[in-house]
Amino acid sequence: MSDFAVEFDNVTKKFGDNVLFEHFNFNIRKNEVVSIIGPSGSGKSTLLRILMTLESIDAGMVRVQGESLWHMQKNGAWLPADERHLRKCRGHMGMVFQHFNLFPHMTVLRNITEAPIHVLGQSKEEARANGMELLRTVGLADKADAYPSRLSGGQKQRVGIARALAMKPSILLLDEITSALDPELVDEVLEVIRKLAAEDAYTMMLVTHEMYFAREISDRVCFFDAGQIVEEGPPEQIFNAPNHERTRAFLNSFLNI
Amino acid sequence: MIEFEWNWAFAWEVLPLLLDACKITLQATLLGSVLAIVIGLLLALLRRSKWKAVGYTAYWWMEFVRSTPLLVQIYFLYYVAPEWGLNLSPMVTGVLALGMHYGAYLSEVFRSGIDGVDKGQWEASIALNLSPYRTYRDVILPQALRAMIPAAGNYIIAMFKETPQLSAITLLEMLQLAKIMGSENFRYLEPFTLVGLIYLVLSLVASTAIRQAERRFPKEGFTLS
Amino acid sequence: MPLSEIFDVLSGGALVTVQIVVMALPLATFMAFLSGLLRLSDHRSLRWTATVYVEFFRGTSALIQLYWIYFVLPFFGISIDAITAGVVALGFNIGAYGSEVVRGGLLSVDKGQTEAAIALNFSPRQRLWRIILPQALVGMMPPFGNLAIELVKATSLVSLITIADLTYRAKSLADMTLQVEEIFGLVLVFYFVMAQVLTLCIRALEKYLGKGMDRGGLT
């Protein structure tokens, strides 16, 4: 059994003729919290989207909890993964989106219980009890019956987190979860993530522009640019003593705004 | 059960007659479109009137005409006009009914097209002291037209496809002719199928033409003078 | 003929018209969803079949379709009564227009909704029925309302294949009594009222389906 929760093995990803990355190798250990930082448009989010099966890969192998994601073995031969295989793999992961993507036609509680009931097969009572418990964790128990359109951005994102957690994933993928928020609402969302990171029960992969936050909660920070990891290491090293000129330039651009 | 197969000889016999009757269909469509455009513009302008009562009346007229069947409107004109001392031919009755019916639809297209023009254009026209006529002709309509073409074109195609209803007041257009040929020969298959195919071809050609017109419509430098 | 008697005769016709609407509307809805969904299918043959259906019924005229079904099908040994012919022709015709509404409605739902549904591991079928369709339905309601009115109007065509609907009775009465202004005026009002009632129903449905959603007309 692999020690890694996530493995990118020689992965190539293209959009048309545009090569996003080639021969990309990257691993995340179990229960490690990893932040990916880097310029916009460098394809950081694509890494998360490949894991969540929202984007396919063009070459190489991706493994999630030791299991190949985009390929399956049948009678000794490797075949492209079918929907059933993908659904099995997705069960390991939960994703929180930049734009929340809450279901607008469902109440907050139903947003959280819909998938546990219909995908995991939980009973309604069980799912509701779990859902209320999660809402209490993110501080929104009083909003259970509200529709998402009535919530602030920060509240929406906390529901987004609770919704992902309800599926009991072992890996959490957080895709710029504070980018769409007004500055004063960022903290309430980060507070929730801070608590989750402290539990040490999840493998977490964050794509973020919140440098201070990345520094605070990550075990490892990776600077991703032009299709490769330019530099990675413990947060102190990356933020205090970056080796690479590009990393330094990028971090400086953040300090200057 | 009667053995029934497509009879080419009969089909070839009725086709020229149908194509001849198609001229009547096209004539009704063309005249109906012209009338519909005039009525549509008029209604659109009335709905923008300063007097609320006028705008309201125009709105409910449009709503009423659009939510009642064309066929009943055709009958209404056909039966009621003589009572009012107007003896109209089936063609004239048909064109009037089509024009009034689709004028109501087109008024909505024109209205939203005109509303779609930036408010600043009206203000600039007032600032330049243009008359209302000049404002519409030189400033507003040229800009609104591009957005109106596809929607208006689709309604005219819809009108074309409703012309068979004029057979109900004995206008000898394609469907009426097909029905007569069918009942005389006890063979409805060929005439009705051919009429359907002629409509299919013509409406596909027309919708392609509209798409082309929309694409080729000049983005800049278009005027009505 | 006294006006009240005319009113009674026409009311009977209106009932027939309503019956045809009540039968054709579910058929049209079914055809609209079936073909609208098939046109988004991954299988090319299914997409093609649906496209041919839509183009064919939209490209030819409703009255011709009605005549074809009523006059031509019996020669192929398919005996069909006038009511069935009317319901089938109108249902298929309006359904073809509805197909475009369904397709457009489904495509208008934000892509993020599908992505969230994938991330929550819903099956493709669950994604469609639980996440995408309920949201798409709200936006489909106004154009569906217009199509429902088009259907009511189109039922007048069945008078031409001898069904004693509102239009048919109006014409017979007009031929008989020559009180043409009252008769046709009344008939127009009948149709207008039906259309308005239908519009109100659809608005209520839209509001119900859009509960909680920003676009559902909630303030």
Side-chain angles (χ1 to χ4, degrees):
Chain A
M1 201 49 190
S2 165
D3 288 336
F4 294 116
V6 170
E7 296 160 82
F8 282 78
D9 191 354
N10 251 325
V11 174
T12 298
K13 173 68 187 170
K14 301 176 196 164
F15 284 116
D17 291 334
N18 181 19
V19 179
L20 207 57
F21 39 80
E22 233 169 352
H23 308 300
F24 181 73
N25 291 294
F26 181 63
N27 298 327
I28 298 180
R29 286 189 312 279
K30 287 192 170 141
N31 293 353
E32 190 180 18
V33 177
V34 175
S35 293
I36 315 272
I37 60 172
S40 318
S42 58
K44 301 172 303 231
S45 290
T46 307
L47 295 175
L48 300 187
R49 294 170 58 80
I50 285 172
L51 287 172
M52 199 64 257
T53 71
L54 301 175
E55 307 273 1
S56 59
I57 57 174
D58 295 290
M61 177 82 88
V62 175
R63 273 180 291 270
V64 170
Q65 304 292 21
E67 202 166 3
S68 72
L69 179 64
W70 284 104
H71 307 82
M72 56 182 191
Q73 235 169 348
K74 220 171 198 174
N75 307 327
W78 284 101
L79 297 171
D82 60 10
E83 181 67 24
R84 224 176 107 199
H85 179 83
L86 290 177
R87 287 193 75 194
K88 204 172 103 200
C89 295
R90 280 180 204 136
H92 298 300
M93 293 172 284
M95 185 162 184
V96 184
F97 296 88
Q98 179 180 0
H99 295 287
F100 329 128
N101 299 353
L102 297 185
F103 304 133
H105 57 303
M106 297 180 185
T107 61
V108 164
L109 185 60
R110 230 187 114 191
N111 258 280
I112 298 172
T113 58
E114 188 78 357
I117 294 171
H118 297 287
V119 176
L120 300 182
Q122 290 179 5
S123 72
K124 273 186 182 166
E125 295 71 36
E126 186 189 359
R128 284 210 186 111
N130 283 341
M132 285 310 297
E133 181 60 41
L134 283 166
L135 278 177
R136 267 189 291 277
T137 316
V138 299
L140 287 172
D142 55 326
K143 299 288 185 193
D145 296 323
Y147 281 93
S149 60
R150 302 281 196 219
L151 303 184
S152 73
Q155 291 171 329
K156 280 182 192 165
Q157 196 56 297
R158 285 186 276 157
V159 175
I161 295 167
R163 184 175 71 173
L165 293 177
M167 294 299 283
K168 306 193 185 307
S170 57
I171 303 168
L172 270 180
L173 308 172
L174 310 176
D175 188 7
E176 304 198 24
I177 59 169
T178 56
S179 298
L181 296 180
D182 292 333
E184 72 271 20
L185 302 176
V186 169
D187 273 337
E188 63 186 59
V189 172
L190 294 186
E191 186 53 40
V192 173
I193 301 299
R194 198 172 280 135
K195 271 193 242 163
L196 287 175
E199 277 178 35
D200 207 28
Y202 297 99
T203 305
M204 287 167 72
M205 186 169 172
L206 302 78
V207 168
T208 184
H209 291 292
E210 303 287 340
M211 295 304 152
Y212 289 98
F213 185 67
R215 178 179 193 156
E216 179 194 331
I217 70 158
S218 308
D219 298 318
R220 177 160 54 121
V221 174
C222 307
F223 175 61
F224 186 87
D225 188 19
Q228 52 183 323
I229 293 189
V230 177
E231 186 168 357
E232 61 180 324
E236 303 75 44
Q237 181 208 318
I238 299 291
F239 287 105
N240 294 340
N243 288 323
H244 236 275
E245 184 51 46
R246 261 149 79 196
T247 319
R248 225 169 293 152
F250 174 75
L251 289 172
N252 277 336
S253 75
F254 260 87
L255 293 175
N256 291 339
I257 35 173
Chain B
M1 185 186 137
I2 313 162
E3 184 67 23
F4 220 77
E5 274 176 14
W6 181 264
N7 181 337
W8 280 107
F10 184 49
W12 284 121
E13 192 188 322
V14 288
L15 187 60
L17 299 170
L18 287 175
L19 288 176
D20 215 36
C22 185
K23 286 183 200 148
I24 304 281
T25 299
L26 291 175
Q27 196 186 349
T29 309
L30 192 71
L31 295 174
S33 317
V34 173
L35 185 63
I37 289 170
V38 173
I39 291 177
L41 271 177
L42 198 68
L43 278 175
L45 294 180
L46 286 179
R47 280 186 66 187
R48 300 179 62 90
S49 161
K50 271 178 267 181
W51 295 290
K52 274 214 171 115
V54 173
Y56 229 63
T57 315
Y59 170 77
W60 280 107
W61 169 262
M62 180 200 79
E63 195 64 22
F64 189 81
V65 171
R66 292 208 310 180
S67 51
T68 51
L70 174 66
L71 183 59
V72 179
Q73 292 166 9
I74 293 171
Y75 282 145
F76 186 91
L77 281 178
Y78 190 66
Y79 281 89
V80 175
E83 299 272 305
W84 295 344
L86 295 166
N87 274 308
L88 309 174
S89 70
M91 177 56 114
V92 173
T93 310
V95 167
L96 281 178
L98 289 173
M100 283 204 320
H101 195 75
Y102 281 92
Y105 282 99
L106 287 185
S107 77
E108 188 64 23
V109 173
F110 295 150
R111 193 187 64 89
S112 61
I114 290 169
D115 282 354
V117 177
D118 181 39
K119 255 186 107 174
Q121 298 292 310
W122 292 96
E123 292 170 359
S125 304
I126 291 171
L128 291 171
N129 212 4
L130 294 179
S131 69
Y133 168 72
R134 281 272 150 203
T135 306
Y136 271 111
R137 206 199 76 167
D138 292 349
V139 182
I140 306 302
L141 287 183
Q143 298 183 60
L145 218 51
R146 192 184 157 78
M148 293 174 184
I149 284 178
N154 284 334
Y155 279 125
I156 287 170
I157 295 176
M159 174 195 287
F160 167 63
K161 284 181 290 190
E162 290 212 274
T163 49
Q165 295 183 33
L166 300 182
S167 64
I169 52 167
T170 71
L171 182 70
L172 201 61
E173 45 68 69
M174 273 192 284
L175 188 66
Q176 179 73 351
L177 185 80
K179 211 175 156 191
I180 292 171
M181 299 296 293
S183 65
E184 276 177 2
N185 297 281
F186 288 105
R187 289 190 69 92
Y188 285 107
L189 172 65
E190 292 84 1
F192 281 162
T193 307
L194 285 174
V195 175
L197 287 177
I198 293 172
Y199 269 98
L200 187 64
V201 168
L202 287 178
S203 53
L204 282 179
V205 168
S207 45
T208 314
I210 289 170
R211 241 171 286 148
Q212 285 294 327
E214 192 194 356
R215 199 173 310 153
R216 297 237 182 116
F217 196 87
K219 285 195 176 102
E220 282 170 353
F222 175 76
T223 60
L224 289 175
S225 45
Chain C
M1 198 187 257
L3 205 59
S4 65
E5 220 168 295
I6 292 177
F7 187 87
D8 285 347
V9 175
L10 292 181
S11 300
L15 211 62
V16 175
T17 296
V18 169
Q19 277 170 6
I20 292 172
V21 171
V22 166
M23 288 187 284
L25 201 56
L27 179 62
T29 311
F30 174 77
M31 291 308 292
F33 276 93
L34 182 68
S35 58
L37 289 171
L38 286 184
R39 284 173 82 195
L40 296 173
S41 153
D42 291 333
H43 299 278
R44 186 191 286 216
S45 56
L46 292 178
R47 268 202 320 265
W48 261 90
T49 313
T51 306
V52 167
Y53 156 70
V54 169
E55 290 296 330
F56 188 82
F57 275 87
R58 280 167 33 130
T60 59
S61 157
L63 186 55
I64 297 170
Q65 290 153 22
L66 181 66
Y67 277 5
W68 209 93
I69 290 173
Y70 187 63
F71 290 109
V72 177
L73 282 189
F75 285 99
F76 290 105
I78 305 166
S79 267
I80 198 165
D81 63 286
I83 297 265
T84 313
V87 168
V88 168
L90 298 178
F92 274 55
N93 182 273
I94 299 289
Y97 286 90
S99 171
E100 197 56 40
V101 175
V102 171
R103 203 178 80 96
L106 290 172
L107 290 177
S108 74
V109 174
D110 181 33
K111 269 191 73 182
Q113 293 293 312
T114 305
E115 296 187 349
I118 291 173
L120 290 168
N121 219 351
F122 285 109
S123 69
R125 184 171 300 195
Q126 287 173 325
R127 277 177 231 155
L128 176 67
W129 289 98
R130 297 193 171 274
I131 309 300
I132 305 303
L133 252 186
Q135 298 181 52
L137 271 180
V138 185
M140 292 178 196
M141 278 304 131
F144 269 154
N146 290 338
L147 282 179
I149 290 174
E150 291 301 320
L151 173 64
V152 172
K153 288 162 62 184
T155 56
S156 66
L157 300 181
V158 302
S159 67
L160 298 172
I161 56 167
T162 70
I163 295 176
D165 76 327
L166 191 47
T167 305
Y168 183 92
R169 294 195 188 194
K171 191 169 178 295
S172 325
L173 277 178
D175 287 334
M176 235 160 55
T177 67
L178 300 176
Q179 288 165 288
V180 290
E181 281 151 315
E182 295 95 315
I183 293 166
F184 283 111
L186 209 54
V187 168
L188 286 172
V189 171
F190 262 107
Y191 277 111
F192 182 66
V193 170
M194 281 190 236
Q196 295 300 314
V197 170
L198 206 55
T199 306
L200 288 179
C201 293
I202 302 265
R203 287 225 183 106
L205 192 59
E206 184 191 351
K207 207 167 173 180
Y208 168 75
L209 290 170
K211 205 168 58 169
M213 287 166 67
D214 281 336
R215 56 206 282 214
L218 221 76
T219 46

